[in-house]
Amino acid sequence: MPEYLKTGWPQRVERQQDVIDTVSRILSEIEHEGLPAIRRWSTQLDNWDPDSFVVSADTIKAATVDDELAAHLEFARSQVEHFARAQRETLTDLEVETLPGAVLGHRHIPVAKVGSYSPGGRYPLIASSIMTVTVPKVAGVDTVVAAAPPRDANGIYGPQLYTMNLAGADVILCLGGVQAFAALAFGVEDVPPVDLVVGAGNAYVAEAKRQLFGTVGIDLLAGPTEVAVIADESADARLVAADLLGQAEHGPNSPALLVTTSRDFGAEVITEVDRWLAGDWPTKEVAGAAWRDHGTVVVCESREEAVQVSDSYAPEHLEVQTADDDWYAANLRNYGSLFIGPEATVAFSDKSIGTNHVLPTGRAGRYTGGLWVGKFLKTVTYQRLTADGVRSIAPSTAAIADAELMFGHALTARLRDQPR
């Protein structure tokens, strides 16, 4: 049985009724009133009431960054684009003749319009624009409407606005939170509704996506950022501790988990975390609170048990730093993204390596992966038949329809199996 040296990771993030009610009210008012309700809520929540929520071409052009950051942003964008293109190339159209005269196939058709949201709360997440704008453009989406909240009286944080444009956004909205998702889903000013919304945010954003699902498609329902590390005595305890705190800085409710097969190593990592927090860790106030309340250290008797424990948590980010990295990589199954070996830290993926950082949380890694180019494609099927194909298909179709008492279905099948 696993031993817990420290516990804190919540097994379930409960939906709060006040969040549900507030989001429902905002969405309902915006759906029925349109722009006046958007203005009212934007003013109330963000103190933001511009002449237009659509960012002008001149404002976009004026958003600049220094040459060094521009080069790094272009590097990150090109990495994400390159990997997305490689993923897209694995998705091929299909056509097969399953019976003489019966041709079946599928096509991958891009979604027409996508809404991309980049958070701007505690941290203005520049990289989110790269992840959620570049990838749909690679998929072939016609229109990507990007949105981010105002950072100050000037609107969207300058580097964030610059990056949205760099990534290929066709339209940019300066709107935050629930009202941004409502504007994307229902339309605002001259911007028509989108078909799919993507991007992370706080509890209100997650609830907005939950309530809008069906009106629009969504990527996934993301909760607080999670990190887990599977490590043994071959790993560097100080490095592991840093990786746990590195993700914990997202917020005081961000869980961090260590799974280890060595009790001594687990205790050593706890010591190193405390040492970082007592020293010069740059975001110790936030990361320290997250570790105190949501940090967990589990000692397992074997690597098989370590896999079982990790899979039960299904963490968003999962690092493996052991003497058996390849074995773990082959046997783990529940995670958002896997980081194999001590050099592969989550931060690389969060910002620039090329894989997408929009990933499942709250144990959703049991049944879904993260955002990728395929999310922006609809795989749709088609059928084409000749008379020979009809003769093969119609009898079984009609018989099954009769058995289901769907006699109209049976009739349409038999009509095609008769001389005309």
Side-chain angles (χ1 to χ4, degrees):
M1 293 291 291
E3 176 189 2
Y4 286 78
L5 299 185
K6 185 181 185 309
T7 59
W9 187 310
Q11 291 299 309
R12 182 179 179 184
V13 178
E14 298 289 344
R15 296 170 68 199
Q16 297 179 336
Q17 192 61 48
D18 62 330
V19 174
I20 296 171
D21 294 342
T22 299
V23 169
S24 179
R25 178 185 172 192
I26 295 172
L27 294 180
S28 178
E29 291 182 6
I30 292 175
E31 181 179 14
H32 291 95
E33 299 176 40
L35 185 58
I38 291 176
R39 288 197 174 279
R40 185 167 62 251
W41 283 107
S42 179
T43 301
Q44 178 176 329
L45 298 176
D46 289 331
N47 195 29
W48 180 247
D49 184 21
D51 293 337
S52 173
F53 291 106
V54 178
V55 181
S56 69
D58 288 343
T59 301
I60 294 171
K61 185 177 180 180
T64 59
V65 297
D66 63 58
D67 291 345
E68 182 179 2
L69 179 56
H72 290 313
L73 289 170
E74 172 54 25
F75 169 80
R77 189 209 62 78
S78 65
Q79 284 291 103
V80 171
E81 179 186 45
H82 180 79
F83 186 60
R85 290 196 183 281
Q87 289 182 308
R88 179 64 182 87
E89 290 172 4
T90 70
L91 300 172
T92 58
D93 291 349
L94 168 69
E95 186 169 283
V96 57
E97 190 173 24
T98 59
L99 293 166
V103 175
L104 311 182
H106 74 224
R107 295 177 56 209
H108 301 293
I109 302 176
V111 172
K113 298 184 288 294
V114 166
S116 156
Y117 184 73
S118 295
R122 179 179 286 107
Y123 309 110
L125 297 185
I126 299 171
S128 284
S129 300
I130 298 173
M131 307 292 174
T132 60
V133 175
T134 302
V135 178
K137 297 307 288 186
V138 169
V141 172
D142 293 333
T143 304
V144 176
V145 182
R151 185 71 175 176
D152 51 34
N154 296 317
I156 296 173
Y157 180 57
Q160 198 168 35
L161 180 58
Y162 173 89
T163 305
M164 288 174 165
N165 185 50
L166 175 70
D170 298 287
V171 181
I172 299 176
L173 301 176
C174 184
L175 270 171
V178 178
Q179 59 271 24
F181 279 88
L184 293 170
F186 303 128
V188 60
E189 299 178 23
D190 294 327
V191 181
V194 301
D195 305 304
L196 172 71
V197 293
V198 300
N202 59 19
Y204 289 89
V205 164
E207 183 60 30
K209 290 166 71 175
R210 186 190 302 272
Q211 294 188 26
L212 286 169
F213 179 61
T215 300
V216 291
I218 65 173
D219 47 359
L220 45 79
L221 296 170
T225 293
E226 305 162 354
V227 63
V229 181
I230 298 176
D232 59 20
E233 60 278 358
S234 69
D236 181 333
R238 186 170 184 269
L239 194 66
V240 169
D243 283 358
L244 292 169
L245 290 176
Q247 284 300 300
E249 77 176 0
H250 272 276
N253 58 350
S254 292
L257 168 70
L258 171 64
V259 180
T260 182
T261 52
S262 167
R263 194 180 193 283
D264 288 344
F265 182 80
E268 186 180 358
V269 169
I270 292 174
T271 298
E272 291 295 341
V273 168
D274 292 341
R275 184 173 289 130
W276 275 119
L277 292 175
D280 56 358
W281 189 262
T283 51
K284 65 177 67 179
E285 182 176 344
V286 175
W291 175 253
R292 180 189 67 238
D293 296 336
H294 302 293
T296 299
V297 177
V298 187
V299 180
C300 297
E301 295 179 356
S302 66
R303 61 185 188 180
E304 288 79 10
E305 186 176 67
V307 165
Q308 184 179 17
V309 168
S310 178
D311 278 349
S312 71
Y313 281 91
E316 177 187 14
H317 307 96
L318 177 58
E319 295 186 4
V320 177
Q321 301 183 33
T322 73
D324 300 308
D325 288 348
D326 290 342
W327 182 90
Y328 279 100
N331 286 275
L332 288 160
R333 67 187 306 161
N334 294 344
Y335 51 82
S337 193
L338 185 64
F339 303 81
I340 305 168
E343 308 307 327
T345 184
V346 172
F348 290 155
S349 175
D350 271 354
K351 308 304 177 186
S352 65
I353 201 170
T355 51
N356 207 292
H357 76 192
V358 180
L359 299 168
T361 64
R363 302 186 70 228
R366 294 170 297 131
Y367 55 81
T368 188
L371 190 63
W372 72 299
V373 72
K375 184 65 180 180
F376 303 99
L377 300 168
K378 301 174 293 181
T379 302
V380 295
T381 59
Y382 62 88
Q383 310 85 38
R384 184 184 300 115
L385 280 83
T386 66
D388 287 341
V390 169
R391 282 191 290 271
S392 298
I393 301 297
S396 295
T397 299
I400 293 169
D402 283 340
E404 294 173 339
L405 308 182
M406 301 187 73
F407 303 120
H409 280 64
L411 178 60
T412 62
R414 291 192 174 101
L415 284 173
R416 284 164 173 77
D417 199 17
Q418 297 172 359
R420 283 180 289 166

